[in-house]
Amino acid sequence: MRVTIIAAARPGAFEKQDDVDNIATVERALRTAAPHALLDVVTTALAEQHGAEQVELRLADYGMRSLQIVGSGAEDAEPVPVHGSPQGRAFGSQEPRVIEDTARGMVDVHLPMTIRGDRMGVLSVRLPADRYAETSLPGLQSICEALGHEILVAERDTDLYLLARRAVRLTLAAEMQWQLLPGHSCTRPEFSLGAHLEPAYAIFGDNFDWTASADHLTLTVTNGMGEGIEAALLTNLAVNALRNARRAGLDLADQASLADQAVYAHYRGAAYVSVLLLRFHFATGQVEVVDAGSPRLWRQRDRAVEPVEFDAQLPLGMFEDTVYVAEHFTVRSGDRLLFGSDGVYDTVSPAGERYAERALVRALGNTRLLPPTQVPQAVLRELAGFRGDTPLDDDALVVCLDWYGRDGGGQAE
């Protein structure tokens, strides 16, 4: 058996007109198919165009530990681990992985399904060896991407793909929190980020949110007090209040003020939400910040890792009519920023050492060669080892952002 790793296809890399027509035909069929039948459309197309004998779609579970099969027989199919499987290697490397079985005369092609930087899963295609050629990879990858785009649209109308992401049943609080999240990752020319939240299936009150426009990235990291349904309700109120204020065109400080008023009006100070709000300017690397509570930021510049400190302001909803003030700092091209909740940096080892004292810096150093999409889980794995046998009694949230900037923006401090 021989394994080949092929670089991901570039958009517009197709040379044959008939390949273009074939892909367009699949895209049209996907757009008109029933939401639950998207994989059937792709399976039929790959059989007709490439002689595919088996097509399998697996989506990453909420914990990002396994790839869960979609479609008929999903209840009886074993999940595939993200680490240590051919599908998982394609998912992690974000490159097609080709495995040739010369004894059977077959080729398995594992294609990463990633839409706008958000890693969704892997499409696996089994072909007769005489029907496979390296030149067919761009077309296969394009069909995989078309399927991914349609799945995102179809999720409005069917639970099929959401159910496939569950390794176990979600608690109601976790269901509410996951519906708030924008995804696990996002990539633009100016930045790349990844985020993860543990425990994935029974969440307390941590959350992250982001949105990118033509000129800015807005990122928020929140930590609602309490646990279970009450924490989920509180966080839902705060996150949607922040979104409402942002979409109304308010500046960062006024976004915090409006969300503060919304939380206080409902809870009258009995519950509050800690939040770190940031707005990155693509052209300059200038960052506006409102620090209203417990989420923290560390910066890795070259090999140096240091916390970035801000003036602490009151959490949202603690008191009536709190006034918030934005601060500023600058990111440079090549900077890596790590955001963590108190469930990360305040975790204590069996020896009584806080994770933020030394272990967090070591974790960032150990993961500096990983892409930002893989850093949050790597840090959380190291956190689990640091914690030892002590059970996780709070959310542990990590967001990693690599900054590239635009046209040299953000080079100067």
Side-chain angles (χ1 to χ4, degrees):
M1 182 177 294
R2 187 173 62 180
V3 177
T4 308
I5 300 175
I6 307 295
R10 299 187 307 276
F14 315 108
E15 296 179 354
K16 295 182 179 180
Q17 183 63 38
D18 56 347
D19 287 344
V20 175
D21 290 341
N22 286 338
I23 294 166
T25 299
V26 175
E27 290 176 342
R28 285 193 298 270
L30 284 169
R31 286 196 296 270
T32 58
H36 64 275
L38 299 179
L39 183 58
D40 294 336
V41 170
V42 168
T43 299
T44 300
L46 291 175
E48 293 177 353
Q49 297 177 12
H50 298 274
E53 297 191 2
Q54 180 178 320
V55 178
E56 184 179 89
L57 172 62
R58 290 182 179 270
L59 298 179
D61 84 304
Y62 286 110
M64 300 292 279
R65 296 185 181 91
S66 64
L67 295 166
Q68 308 283 125
I69 198 164
V70 178
S72 59
E75 299 83 1
D76 301 322
E78 290 294 324
V80 168
V82 167
H83 300 285
S85 66
Q87 298 93 328
R89 293 186 185 98
F91 181 78
S93 68
Q94 288 297 284
E95 295 178 341
R97 191 171 183 87
V98 179
I99 301 177
E100 301 177 27
D101 188 340
T102 54
R104 293 190 304 152
M106 304 299 294
V107 175
D108 287 339
V109 183
H110 302 294
L111 304 157
M113 180 180 288
T114 301
I115 307 302
R116 299 188 185 277
D118 193 13
R119 300 182 300 164
M120 297 172 60
V122 174
L123 182 69
S124 298
V125 184
R126 178 165 294 170
L127 306 169
D130 59 1
R131 295 292 300 271
Y132 169 76
E134 186 174 325
T135 54
S136 63
L137 272 176
L140 292 171
Q141 187 67 61
S142 291
I143 291 174
C144 178
E145 291 170 1
L147 175 61
H149 279 286
E150 291 304 319
I151 285 175
L152 291 180
V153 176
E155 284 181 345
R156 299 178 305 180
D157 302 314
T158 178
D159 286 338
L160 174 66
Y161 308 104
L162 294 173
L163 289 172
R165 294 191 174 101
R166 300 167 190 230
V168 297
R169 181 177 176 178
L170 291 173
T171 64
L172 177 56
E175 184 89 50
M176 295 168 66
Q177 294 288 66
W178 279 107
Q179 292 303 310
L180 273 182
L181 298 178
H184 278 103
S185 52
C186 180
T187 300
R188 285 269 301 262
E190 299 86 0
F191 70 89
S192 180
L193 65 82
H196 195 60
L197 181 59
E198 286 287 346
Y201 293 91
I203 291 173
F204 295 87
D206 288 4
N207 200 271
F208 52 83
D209 193 25
W210 61 70
T211 183
S213 67
D215 300 310
H216 305 94
L217 165 69
T218 301
L219 172 66
T220 62
V221 182
T222 55
N223 182 4
M225 65 177 292
E227 59 184 68
I229 295 296
E230 292 303 319
L233 289 169
L234 173 61
T235 304
N236 266 261
L237 174 60
V239 170
N240 280 295
L242 287 168
R243 288 174 175 173
N244 178 256
R246 184 185 73 224
R247 293 163 183 169
L250 302 183
D251 63 27
L252 208 64
D254 286 341
Q255 291 174 31
S257 295
L258 187 146
D260 170 70
Q261 293 168 17
V263 175
Y264 185 83
H266 190 78
Y267 290 96
R268 311 304 296 179
Y272 51 84
V273 179
S274 296
V275 61
L276 184 63
L277 298 92
L278 305 101
R279 190 170 190 244
F280 296 80
H281 297 247
F282 292 147
T284 65
Q286 291 292 314
V287 188
E288 301 171 71
V289 184
V290 173
D291 182 356
S294 62
R296 296 286 181 263
L297 167 61
W298 284 260
R299 177 177 60 204
Q300 184 174 31
R301 178 170 289 170
D302 299 323
R303 292 181 177 272
V305 178
E306 59 182 359
V308 181
E309 304 287 352
F310 305 109
D311 293 335
Q313 301 180 65
L314 292 173
L316 307 183
M318 182 171 282
F319 298 104
E320 189 173 13
D321 296 328
T322 302
V323 176
Y324 294 93
V325 178
E327 301 175 68
H328 299 83
F329 74 106
T330 303
V331 286
R332 297 178 182 173
S333 179
D335 280 356
R336 168 166 286 181
L337 305 179
L338 187 93
F339 306 84
S341 65
D342 54 1
V344 175
Y345 62 80
D346 272 344
T347 292
V348 178
S349 73
E353 178 187 357
R354 288 176 67 247
Y355 189 66
E357 291 176 14
R358 291 179 297 177
L360 180 57
V361 173
R362 287 199 303 270
L364 268 174
N366 293 340
T367 58
R368 64 186 180 86
L369 298 180
L370 292 178
T373 53
Q374 297 183 30
V375 170
Q377 288 175 282
V379 170
L380 290 171
R381 284 195 297 271
E382 295 208 14
L383 177 67
F386 176 85
R387 195 174 63 245
D389 296 330
T390 305
L392 190 66
D393 60 358
D394 194 4
D395 286 349
L397 181 153
V398 175
V399 179
C400 180
L401 170 67
D402 278 6
W403 183 258
Y404 313 130
R406 177 184 294 169
D407 300 328
Q411 292 294 330
E413 184 69 36

